[in-house]
Amino acid sequence: MTLLIRNGDIITSCERRTADILCENGQITAIGSNLQAPEGAEVIDASGKYVFPGFIDPHVHIYLPFMGTFSKDDWETGSKAALMGGTTTLIEMCCPSRSEDPLEAIRLWKSKAAGLASCDYTFHAGVTRFDETTTAALKTVVEEEQISSFKVFLAYKGAFGIEDTELYQILALAKDLGVVVTAHCENADLVSETQKRLVAEGKTGPEWHEPSRPITVEAEGCHHLMTFAEMTGAEVYVVHTSCQPAVEAITAARERGVKASIETVAPYLTLDSSYAEQPDFEGAKYVMSPPIRTKEQQDYLWQALADGVIDTVATDHAPFDYATQKHMGHPEAGKAVDASFDPTGQPANFTLIPNGIPSVEERVKLLYTHGVATGRIDLHTFVRVASTRAAEIFGLYPRKGEIAPGSDADLVIWDPGWSGIITAASHSMATDYSAFEGWPIQGRPETVTVRGKLMVKDGQWCGEKGWGGFLPRKPKA
Ligand code: URP
Ligand code: ZN
Ligand code: ZN
Ligand code: ZN
């Protein structure tokens, strides 16, 4: 497989040049002017187009047993959707229940991707309890399974959530092993007590999801994690940060020397709380945790991205069908299927709506349309937050997230002149709805390669199921 991309406007996180890119045996082998096409090479003219490094989504859920159901995509649909949207590497959260062993869980999650994934992938190892077996299991996860990041939940009490003693031990071990701990930061007790109070007051619709986990609850979760990171010296990465007080809790800790990265997600940058307030249960489509916030918070997040305060934009892709799964929280649905996710014990209400918004296919298009095309962020920031920074933080750089000789030939030829709309009628995700139905989009990934192989051409799928490979990662020295 030899590919020559001619005359593209190459954009990386810090450089811009017009040149040809030669890709051989899965890697970029040369960048320059008027490169000679080797015999048999496929030549693509990228004049007038951008060429970006393949985009990386560092927070997705593909196989997710959650709230009494399973998320809708599998690795075939999820990775195809990612590639159609320009994302060439996925990092999935492995989320075992508290009764599952983290090592067994990583092996199970890997088996779900093998043979089905079209894009490259790795995992964050979920740690949902800590007992006398955990240290050995996690050492094996790092050394043999070649995973160098963990995931903890300070939310979802009784399900994935961990106690403070467990958090301390996980962070201390992570510090010893040199791995990054990614964390969902919301104070679980504040959430469950507020949920109980609201439901008892008859406030049961999806519009009450946001008030049940307000920005204060998220900021407390971030402050809490930062205190533990400061005490243990562990490196942390806060997932799906939605608001100013949460970001400020983290930046304050950075000033105290805590090594902490900040992720936000595409839904927070584009949707606002009015979506979850729509009548007739439409709001359920927009229930995720932490919840989508006000326009003011959204503006703050865009500025923090432009200022380099926020490191990455992920999706937290967690796809559930509207007609069936989201309706588990509809007033007529009865009791919870999984009592561990039901703090209220009452008939169905907003606390039983599976949390999550499908968006792996739309992240890059949304970020370009609402960020680059509006002038909120420049092209280099776009590449940095949607690709390069995730590669750096999670030990994939410069194999991924870069356009340079020796890097994997994961490339996105982007047509900035294309315009269209998002619709569930033609998306590749397995869900029956799009949270962005009918939204106009400016620019699209016209051609997408993974290790030099064409997966999308002229905006059409031409990829191969199973082409994607597991990306081994080493801990930081
Ligand atoms: O609402 C969300 N975020 N669903 C997925 C699980 C998680 O918390 O990441
Ligand atoms: Zn989460
Ligand atoms: Zn606290
Ligand atoms: Zn998540």
Side-chain angles (χ1 to χ4, degrees):
M1 269 180 313
T2 304
L3 182 67
L4 181 64
I5 299 173
R6 281 221 184 277
N7 218 24
D9 186 357
I10 302 169
I11 312 281
T12 70
S13 63
C14 53
E15 281 176 3
R16 180 173 192 165
R17 68 189 280 208
T18 299
D20 305 340
I21 304 174
L22 182 63
C23 309
E24 296 168 297
N25 303 318
Q27 291 190 335
I28 296 169
T29 50
I31 302 174
S33 302
N34 302 314
L35 295 181
Q36 193 74 34
E39 207 183 310
E42 172 142 12
V43 180
I44 298 179
D45 180 13
S47 306
K49 315 268 166 69
Y50 296 126
V51 185
F52 298 125
F55 293 100
I56 300 170
D57 191 337
H59 180 174
V60 298
H61 303 270
I62 306 290
Y63 173 65
L64 177 65
F66 188 46
M67 297 184 75
T69 186
F70 288 84
S71 57
K72 199 62 201 311
D73 279 308
D74 63 13
W75 269 94
E76 182 176 358
T77 58
S79 62
K80 178 181 173 189
L83 286 162
M84 289 294 283
T87 295
T88 53
T89 296
L90 293 177
I91 311 185
E92 189 189 13
M93 297 293 173
C94 165
C95 296
S97 69
R98 262 180 88 81
S99 61
E100 281 174 288
D101 172 71
L103 174 58
E104 307 268 295
I106 272 295
R107 290 176 175 158
L108 173 66
W109 258 254
K110 276 186 174 178
S111 76
K112 300 283 177 190
L116 285 185
S118 302
C119 67
D120 286 352
Y121 58 91
T122 176
F123 302 89
H124 303 297
V127 191
T128 47
R129 69 159 199 267
F130 200 101
D131 62 24
E132 63 287 349
T133 64
T134 310
T135 299
L138 290 179
K139 279 187 175 160
T140 309
V141 164
V142 174
E143 287 158 16
E144 286 174 25
E145 300 298 329
Q146 304 188 78
I147 304 277
S148 61
S149 47
F150 298 160
K151 170 70 186 288
V152 295
F153 290 91
L154 308 195
Y156 307 132
K157 199 177 175 53
F160 300 142
I162 49 169
E163 303 296 331
D164 278 352
T165 48
E166 296 173 309
L167 176 62
Y168 183 85
Q169 293 177 79
I170 293 164
L171 289 172
L173 179 63
K175 163 76 177 157
D176 282 352
L177 296 176
V179 310
V180 185
V181 179
T182 70
H184 175 138
C185 296
E186 289 178 298
N187 183 298
D189 290 313
L190 284 172
V191 172
S192 58
E193 292 308 303
T194 313
Q195 286 179 328
K196 282 188 234 168
R197 180 175 55 77
L198 290 170
V199 170
E201 288 168 6
K203 296 169 176 166
T204 57
E207 69 276 22
W208 294 102
H209 176 71
E210 200 283 337
S212 77
R213 14 191 10 131
I215 56 177
T216 329
V217 164
E218 187 184 339
E220 202 293 313
C222 292
H223 179 266
H224 201 88
L225 180 78
M226 292 305 122
T227 308
F228 279 66
E230 193 170 357
M231 292 292 288
T232 56
E235 178 178 346
V236 292
Y237 172 99
V238 180
V239 302
H240 49 40
T241 311
S242 75
C243 60
Q244 182 169 1
V247 171
E248 286 176 351
I250 303 164
T251 54
R254 281 178 175 167
E255 281 164 27
R256 302 195 300 274
V258 175
K259 194 152 189 221
S261 304
I262 305 177
E263 170 195 282
T264 192
V265 295
Y268 299 150
L269 292 167
T270 52
L271 299 163
D272 63 69
S273 42
S274 66
Y275 284 87
E277 290 161 8
Q278 292 178 73
D280 302 328
F281 207 65
E282 273 292 299
K285 292 177 178 172
Y286 305 93
V287 165
M288 68 173 290
S289 295
I292 49 179
R293 307 291 190 192
T294 60
K295 278 202 164 36
E296 290 69 36
Q297 295 300 337
Q298 207 178 85
D299 289 342
Y300 172 83
L301 294 177
W302 279 111
Q303 193 56 51
L305 265 185
D307 292 345
V309 173
I310 292 179
D311 292 275
T312 59
V313 177
T315 53
D316 192 12
H317 176 70
F320 298 101
D321 270 345
Y322 175 62
T324 49
Q325 295 173 299
K326 290 283 186 179
H327 275 72
M328 290 163 68
H330 189 275
E332 282 154 25
K335 288 265 191 182
V337 184
D338 180 351
S340 63
F341 279 98
D342 180 13
T344 69
Q346 298 298 311
N349 56 69
F350 70 87
T351 67
L352 303 185
I353 299 169
N355 287 198
I357 296 180
S359 52
V360 74
E361 192 164 353
E362 319 301 359
R363 174 184 67 127
V364 179
K365 289 180 270 181
L366 290 168
L367 195 58
Y368 186 89
T369 302
H370 294 268
V372 178
T374 58
R376 279 165 150 157
I377 56 172
D378 64 25
L379 284 165
H380 301 296
T381 303
F382 171 62
V383 170
R384 177 167 51 77
V385 300
S387 178
T388 313
R389 201 63 197 110
E392 288 170 353
I393 295 167
F394 295 116
L396 293 169
Y397 188 85
R399 178 173 177 187
K400 305 291 188 187
E402 183 58 281
I403 300 180
S407 293
D408 279 359
D410 296 1
L411 296 165
V412 175
I413 303 177
W414 186 271
D415 180 0
W418 188 88
S419 57
I421 59 155
I422 293 175
T423 174
S426 61
H427 71 193
S428 298
M429 299 181 290
T431 48
D432 64 355
Y433 80 101
S434 169
F436 313 96
E437 186 65 38
W439 284 29
I441 283 297
Q442 185 62 46
R444 72 162 176 180
E446 186 180 86
T447 298
V448 180
T449 68
V450 175
R451 284 175 281 108
K453 184 174 171 59
L454 286 169
M455 307 303 283
V456 176
K457 195 170 180 194
D458 298 324
Q460 302 301 312
W461 177 249
C462 62
E464 181 184 318
K465 180 172 96 175
W467 174 254
F470 171 72
L471 296 167
R473 294 182 295 132
K474 286 192 179 18
K476 291 177 185 167

